[in-house]
Amino acid sequence: MLADNRPDLDAHEGQYHYGVMRRAIDAVDANPHATLDELAAAVGLSPAHFQRVFSAWAGISPKRLQQYLSLGHAKALLQTRHTLLDTSMAVGLSGTSRLHDLFLRWEAMSPGDYARGGAGLTIRHGWFDSPFGEMLIMATDRGICGLAFSAETGREAALADMRSRWPRAAFVEDAEGVAPEAAALGRMEGEARLHLIGAPFQIKVWEALMRIPSGHVTTYSDIAGAIGSPRAVRAVGTAVGRNPVSWLIPCHRALRKSGGLGGYHWGLPVKRALLAWEGAQTEGAA
């Protein structure tokens, strides 16, 4: 998990756990009815070690989590935990949301600031451990403005991707400076500020995503209707993919109407792991 005020943390634990989950996803795909012993053998661990890793990562048994990792999990979520976003909701440019016990408060750049490509902004960044592998956190003086995972893309590609969104900003590698934000996320309590950098339409989509409870999902078409643009499903999908603060703005909770996963900017295995982990956390809190 994320470290509390440890900017020098290496990401070995998060990478290790995510690596096991990544191999477990492949094993479940190959044999949906695999036993504990078979899954453990597929990921190269003893059954006892595999059980411990699963429990540390998700807090539930491998047998239960196996259901969350299955290809049919997205369809099951749409049947049992489908959030129909309020089509009359007023979408503004500020608000609050809750991720477990963490309050997220956000503000958006003005359209003029967005058009200037981040000119005049200094963005600090650092790498931290997470339940989904190594995670990049970027922040301005007003809050977290970027969050990305490197497990499927690699560190260099993830950083280049995030930097390209603000071509005129100044970037400083400063894990110590970002550590307070990382610590808040690691504890999942207190308050974390977000500084959203996007076009007005994108901001509307991201705010709609923030209204999906953890452990639940919605569809791209539901989001389009909720923001008053029911025909803009394709544009909504594009905006979801451009979310600069993955996980915190939960783009992984958006699915196709058919129950298909759709895309995910940081790789579908990460999306499946996110949905499985949140399902486990929701189950544990019930």
Side-chain angles (χ1 to χ4, degrees):
M1 307 303 167
L2 288 171
D4 184 357
N5 288 318
R6 286 168 56 195
D8 59 339
L9 173 78
D10 62 37
H12 292 326
E13 183 179 0
Q15 288 179 336
Y16 172 71
H17 283 142
Y18 176 76
V20 172
M21 291 306 108
R22 179 69 173 85
R23 298 195 301 276
I25 288 172
D26 291 339
V28 170
D29 289 350
N31 184 2
H33 305 293
T35 66
L36 173 63
D37 287 354
E38 289 170 336
L39 286 176
V43 301
L45 299 176
S46 70
H49 190 184
F50 185 52
Q51 180 100 19
R52 286 196 297 272
V53 171
F54 256 93
S55 297
W57 187 75
I60 59 175
S61 70
K63 183 176 180 180
R64 183 64 176 142
L65 189 60
Q66 192 170 354
Q67 299 175 28
Y68 293 142
L69 293 176
S70 71
L71 286 169
H73 180 49
K75 289 184 179 179
L77 282 173
L78 279 180
Q79 293 172 356
T80 62
R81 294 183 179 180
H82 181 188
T83 295
L84 292 169
L85 296 170
D86 184 0
T87 56
S88 65
M89 73 179 187
V91 179
L93 291 182
S94 64
T96 61
S97 185
R98 181 186 285 272
L99 178 69
H100 300 291
D101 291 322
L102 177 74
F103 275 101
L104 303 178
R105 300 186 182 276
W106 68 90
E107 63 176 293
M109 289 183 70
S110 70
D113 287 338
Y114 173 71
R116 285 190 286 273
L121 278 179
T122 296
I123 298 178
R124 297 167 287 113
H125 62 87
W127 293 94
F128 299 86
D129 191 25
S130 89
F132 317 105
E134 191 177 38
M135 182 169 67
L136 172 68
I137 298 178
M138 309 177 81
T140 69
D141 290 339
R142 286 187 276 177
I144 297 171
C145 66
L147 192 155
F149 299 107
S150 66
E152 300 293 320
T153 65
R155 180 184 278 200
E156 290 185 10
L159 180 58
D161 183 313
M162 297 303 291
R163 289 180 61 140
S164 71
R165 301 170 189 235
W166 311 289
R168 299 183 65 190
F171 293 88
V172 178
E173 185 171 2
D174 181 12
E176 184 174 357
V178 184
E181 285 87 354
L185 300 186
R187 292 190 301 268
M188 288 295 171
E189 62 184 17
E191 179 178 306
R193 297 172 300 138
L194 302 183
H195 187 192
L196 304 188
I197 301 176
F201 181 84
Q202 293 174 326
I203 296 290
K204 287 184 178 182
V205 170
W206 300 339
E207 288 193 322
L209 289 170
M210 293 284 285
R211 289 172 167 82
I212 309 169
S214 181
H216 292 68
V217 295
T218 195
T219 67
Y220 298 105
S221 55
D222 286 336
I223 295 171
I227 65 172
S229 303
R231 297 183 179 180
V233 177
R234 187 179 295 273
V236 164
T238 300
V240 168
R242 291 296 293 172
N243 165 26
V245 191
S246 301
W247 187 26
L248 298 183
I249 297 177
C251 50
H252 58 279
R253 298 177 193 159
L255 304 175
R256 290 175 177 162
K257 215 170 187 179
S258 64
L261 283 172
Y264 190 64
H265 194 76
W266 305 112
L268 285 180
V270 176
K271 183 171 186 174
R272 289 174 67 182
L274 281 158
L275 290 171
W277 187 83
E278 287 188 346
Q281 301 304 305
T282 302
E283 177 180 304

